[in-house]
């Protein structure tokens, strides 16, 4: 369904009855990323709300440059979406950039968040403190800052280099297809340009606040993740003020919910039911 919000219209999947679980995808995905989780969660008595963020998939791509895609904009969209759906309290699940957006949402409306599940991407400070190996794995973040250059490099030769980056993505071709539309690749990259500029990556230390004490947090990292070290997730617990649980998923890449859906569903359901 399409949900019209004050600034954008989002493509959203809503299904099930019960406590709400808000599922937030990352780059370069859409709500389709959660297709294996939604049936398991709804069968277990949860209501799933899975939006496609602005700038991705079939959702709107507003004009205005990178600032139109700042993570705070996504947080605002999600709050508006929850209001439209009459959702008060909810569980949060985020993957990749969706994890960062979910953390922002947990800070914004702490009293409404039942639990926070972070897949692949942990707390920003844990990532920045994860050492040289993590910086090497994050090389592409600097490339993505180069407007025009990054788009040309990724899209050249029928998106050959983006295909290399998404080599482990089970949905690589279907994810790339929407990025062919005019302005779509730039819109998708703008979340990096607004949310992780060089000043954040390499500037003076400015530790992000710990995740709120009132929100229990689950962190899940997969052993085959090419982009993120285990330390960046496992040490997220040092930046959680309340309850923290860490889990590893073996034999899965960055898109663990597609590679090992049964395991991810098991972890999510056990955590959600506890909270």
């Amino acid at each position: 369904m399409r949900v019209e919000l004050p600034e954008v219209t989002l493509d959203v999947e809503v299904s099930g009855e019960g406590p709400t679980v808000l599922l937030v995808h990352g780059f370069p995905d859409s709500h389709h990323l959660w297709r294996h989780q939604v049936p398991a969660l709804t069968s277990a008595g949860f209501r799933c709300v899975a939006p496609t963020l602005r700038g991705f998939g079939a959702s709107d791509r507003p004009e205005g440059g990178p600032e139109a895609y700042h993570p705070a904009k996504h947080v605002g969209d999600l709050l508006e979406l929850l209001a439209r759906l009459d959702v008060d309290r909810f569980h949060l699940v985020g993957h990749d950039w969706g994890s960062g957006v979910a953390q922002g949402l947990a800070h914004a409306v702490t009293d409404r968040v039942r639990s926070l599940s972070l897949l692949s991407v942990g707390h920003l400070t844990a990532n920045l403190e994860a050492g040289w190996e993590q910086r090497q794995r994050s090389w592409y973040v600097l490339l993505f800052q180069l407007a025009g250059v990054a788009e040309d490099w990724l899209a050249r030769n029928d998106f050959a280099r983006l295909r290399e980056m998404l080599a482990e993505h089970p949905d690589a071709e279907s994810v790339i297809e929407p990025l062919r539309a005019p302005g779509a690749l730039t819109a998708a990259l703008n979340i990096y340009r607004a949310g992780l500029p060089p000043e954040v990556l390499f500037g003076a230390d400015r530790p992000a606040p710990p995740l709120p004490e009132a929100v229990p947090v689950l962190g899940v990292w997969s052993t085959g993740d090419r982009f993120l070290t285990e330390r960046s997730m496992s040490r997220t617990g040092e930046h959680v003020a309340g309850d923290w649980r860490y889990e590893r998923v073996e034999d899965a890449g960055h898109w663990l919910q597609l590679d090992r859906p049964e395991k991810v569903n098991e972890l999510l359901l056990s955590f959600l039911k506890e909270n």
Side-chain angles (χ1 to χ4, degrees):
M1 61 188 270
R2 294 190 55 82
V3 180
E4 186 175 347
L5 304 177
E7 291 190 7
V8 294
T9 296
L10 300 183
D11 182 30
V12 184
E13 179 184 1
V14 180
S15 57
E17 298 291 337
T20 296
V21 182
L22 181 63
L23 299 155
V24 191
H25 70 84
F27 178 89
D29 293 292
S30 70
H31 68 66
H32 192 59
L33 177 73
W34 304 107
R35 66 185 182 276
H36 298 307
Q37 283 64 57
V38 169
L41 293 174
T42 55
S43 294
F46 292 94
R47 181 193 191 199
C48 290
V49 176
T52 296
L53 299 176
R54 62 165 67 194
F56 294 92
S59 290
D60 283 357
R61 297 189 292 272
E63 297 180 358
E67 284 307 308
Y69 298 88
H70 192 280
K73 288 287 189 179
H74 296 289
V75 169
D77 290 344
L78 295 180
L79 288 174
E80 291 284 356
L81 174 62
L82 293 168
R84 291 291 174 91
L85 299 175
D86 295 319
V87 174
D88 181 19
R89 301 200 69 216
F90 55 95
H91 298 279
L92 263 172
V93 180
H95 174 255
D96 190 81
W97 259 109
S99 173
V101 172
Q103 291 176 61
L105 194 53
H107 281 295
V109 289
T110 301
D111 60 332
R112 295 173 57 189
V113 178
R114 295 175 181 267
S115 71
L116 173 61
S117 298
L118 309 177
L119 275 58
S120 302
V121 171
H123 191 275
L124 175 60
T125 304
N127 186 285
L128 294 176
E129 293 177 347
W132 183 246
E133 182 185 358
Q134 182 57 60
R135 287 182 172 81
Q136 289 178 304
R137 294 195 189 197
S138 299
W139 66 271
Y140 62 92
V141 178
L142 288 178
L143 167 68
F144 288 178
Q145 306 298 320
L146 305 176
V149 174
E151 285 89 336
D152 176 71
W153 191 83
L154 290 168
R156 199 180 306 159
N157 298 323
D158 193 31
F159 289 86
R161 292 191 175 94
L162 183 55
R163 281 193 177 85
E164 290 176 3
M165 289 192 68
L166 302 179
E168 289 85 19
H169 197 315
D171 297 339
E173 290 305 318
S174 62
V175 165
I176 288 171
E177 193 59 33
L179 297 176
R180 298 180 185 277
L185 182 55
T186 295
L189 293 172
N190 273 341
I191 192 170
Y192 286 93
R193 292 167 183 166
L196 279 179
E199 293 79 12
V200 171
L201 294 173
F202 300 105
D205 290 342
R206 292 180 296 176
L211 292 168
E213 182 176 2
V215 179
V217 181
L218 167 68
V220 186
W221 178 81
S222 46
T223 58
D225 197 321
R226 281 197 298 139
F227 306 104
L228 295 148
T229 63
E230 182 170 16
R231 183 180 177 188
S232 69
M233 178 61 81
S234 64
R235 296 189 65 173
T236 286
E238 299 173 10
H239 306 281
V240 174
D243 293 338
W244 163 250
R245 174 178 164 188
Y246 172 62
E247 298 283 353
R248 283 167 51 116
V249 175
E250 304 287 338
D251 302 320
H254 181 67
W255 290 274
L256 64 167
Q257 64 271 71
L258 296 175
D259 289 339
R260 295 285 310 279
E262 295 84 3
K263 181 61 177 177
V264 171
N265 293 347
E266 173 191 329
L267 293 173
L268 288 177
L269 284 170
S270 67
F271 186 65
L272 296 176
K273 289 176 180 179
E274 289 173 358
N275 297 287

